Each structure stands twice: as C-alpha cells, then as structure tokens.
Amino acid sequence: MTAVLEARPVGGALADDACGASVRLVRVEAFEPAVYVAPEHRDAYERRFVTLLVDEASCRRGGVGEVFRARNPRGERFALKRLRQPDGKGADDGLAEARRAAFDAEYDAHRALSPLRGFPRLYGRGRVGEDSVIVMEWVEGVTLEEAARALAVDDEGRLSPLTVARIGRDLFDLLARMAYVEGGLAHRDVAPRNIMIDTGQLSAADQVEEGAFQLVLVDFGSAVPLESADSSLTARWGAPLGATAISPPPRC
C-alpha cells in the first residue's frame, strides 16, 4: 500500500492504531541523549532526532512496544520505538505502571549493549505526546524467522545443516559479547523474530554463500542483569509482559 503524508501538527502523538499506512510528522519532546554529549554539541545532536517523519506502515509490534522506521529532515534513518499501552479502556493502572517500568529497564539494558557490535546503536529517549519513545538505529535487514523461510532448501521449510551450524556459531559469538557488560546481561527472549540478519552490505543469500552472517540482536524488553535474584517477569513487574519462554531453533 502506498504511504501518504498525513497533515498533522508537529508534536502530535502517534495514533493508537498506528500500524497503518501513512507517514506522520512528530516531534520528540524532552529528548535525553543515551550517551554523554558535550554542552557545545548538545543542540546539534538533539536536532538530528527531535523532528521525525514516521512511516507507520513499517510498524512492528513486540511485547510492550512497537517500532517504526523514521527519518529526519536530513534523510537519516532511525527506528522509533513507542511504549504501547494496554488495550481497552479502563486498563489496570498497575499493569500500565509495570509496562512503563519495563520500558525504562529495556532502555537501560539497550544502552549498556549499544557500544557493542551486533546490537543497534541507541541515540536517546523522550516523549511523543503522552507516549514514551526510544530513538535507535534502524537495522536494514530481515529477521531470522523471515530468512529461514526464504533460504529453505526443501518444501518442509528446512535450512541446510551447514547454514544452521554457521548461524549458530555466529549467534553464539554475538551472545558471548553480552558478557562484556559490567555484571553481565541475559536477553531472555532469543527468538528467531528477535535476531536480524543485517543486509545493508550483503543480502541474506550472499551471506549464506560467504559462510558468515551479520547478526543483530534486538528487543531488550525481557533483558535482566545476570545477578538479578529473580528472573521471573511476573515476579519482577507483577504482570506478564509478553516474553517468549521457549523458542525452537531453525529446522535443518
């Protein structure tokens, strides 16, 4: 469906049913950089991220948030993640508060991983209307879930054993980098839909031929420090927030 530019005042909130097919101009208020920025460079840094054109047709939904492709007036592309409030009127205030706490914790976990290769760069956070948002790198690519279907070698949807082994090798290397975070970090939702193959330089098929994959791990809504005394989402936030308990690997 063709995206159209919808007339809307700068600063307007994203629509509740924002997984649509329009481009919306938004302003990110109270922007807070994810890294230290010298005072003399602060204004220039913030200008990159506070006025964005958001492609609502690109919406991808997760447990507590939804991610949109966005670009600034200079044409730079980013990902804008919005905290998605519970569905339905009169939603439980405790659940809403738990989701906000989880969103803040996700930001902290992502900020710790952002300097490492294989994790999207994090730029900062703020608000669009009443909604909390995170601005991060847009990863050009496909999820491992999508790639597994496209790269299947038979009608059963199976990958070749060699491809599965190489993906597993590169994924292990990616997960091992999380040990560089002080205290360690557990992602806890390593599912094919949260593992992307970055195709900015090579297509997924070309990476199969090369024998190495540019993997990127996304969605840190379930991540916790390794020293966390209780790893249960329900115990931690008082409500289930949509984590994947067990995810099968690609079939070979």
Side-chain angles (χ1 to χ4, degrees):
M1 187 176 294
T2 303
V4 297
L5 180 62
E6 177 177 325
R8 189 176 184 87
V10 172
L14 291 168
D16 291 337
D17 57 347
C19 289
S22 63
V23 174
R24 193 176 300 268
L25 180 66
V26 303
R27 183 169 181 82
V28 180
E29 304 286 353
F31 184 78
E32 172 188 321
V35 296
Y36 172 76
V37 180
E40 62 269 26
H41 301 303
R42 181 77 178 250
D43 287 346
Y45 184 86
E46 291 185 3
R47 280 198 297 271
R48 294 179 60 198
F49 310 110
V50 296
T51 301
L52 298 173
L53 283 167
V54 178
D55 177 7
E56 295 177 349
S58 67
C59 174
R60 295 177 179 173
R61 285 189 170 175
V64 299
E66 47 198 13
V67 180
F68 305 87
R69 183 172 57 241
R71 60 182 175 86
N72 65 12
R74 294 164 55 178
E76 295 177 295
R77 287 194 296 180
F78 308 111
L80 183 73
K81 184 164 189 175
R82 178 183 77 155
L83 173 62
R84 184 163 49 87
Q85 296 302 328
D87 296 330
K89 296 180 179 179
D92 182 76
D93 290 340
L95 177 57
E97 181 61 33
R99 294 169 77 93
R100 282 192 294 270
F103 200 66
D104 289 342
E106 174 180 356
Y107 179 81
D108 291 337
H110 191 170
R111 183 167 56 179
L113 293 167
S114 177
L116 302 177
R117 183 168 60 88
F119 303 92
R121 287 188 294 274
L122 184 65
Y123 298 114
R125 64 180 173 182
R127 297 192 313 273
V128 174
E130 298 300 319
D131 299 326
S132 298
V133 298
I134 295 172
V135 183
M136 68 188 89
E137 176 187 8
W138 175 263
V139 179
E140 193 64 46
V142 294
T143 67
L144 189 55
E145 186 175 55
E146 295 165 335
R149 292 193 293 267
L151 301 175
V153 295
D154 60 22
D155 293 337
E156 299 297 322
R158 291 177 292 197
L159 298 176
S160 75
L162 182 58
T163 296
V164 171
R166 286 169 169 169
I167 290 173
R169 174 203 62 198
D170 294 340
L171 178 59
F172 178 84
D173 182 54
L174 173 58
L175 294 175
R177 291 175 210 147
M178 298 178 75
Y180 292 118
V181 175
E182 184 177 357
L185 197 68
H187 186 277
R188 301 199 306 164
D189 196 7
V190 183
R193 62 185 173 81
N194 287 334
I195 303 164
M196 296 196 67
I197 298 178
D198 186 337
T199 59
Q201 300 296 324
L202 289 175
S203 69
D206 286 339
Q207 292 180 52
V208 171
E209 293 298 321
E210 291 283 330
F213 294 87
Q214 300 299 316
L215 301 181
V216 180
L217 189 60
V218 300
D219 197 343
F220 308 99
S222 301
V224 293
L226 287 179
E227 66 268 20
S228 176
D230 193 329
S231 62
S232 165
L233 279 178
T234 303
R236 189 176 181 211
W237 304 119
L241 296 174
T244 301
I246 299 176
S247 298
R251 294 186 298 167
C252 62

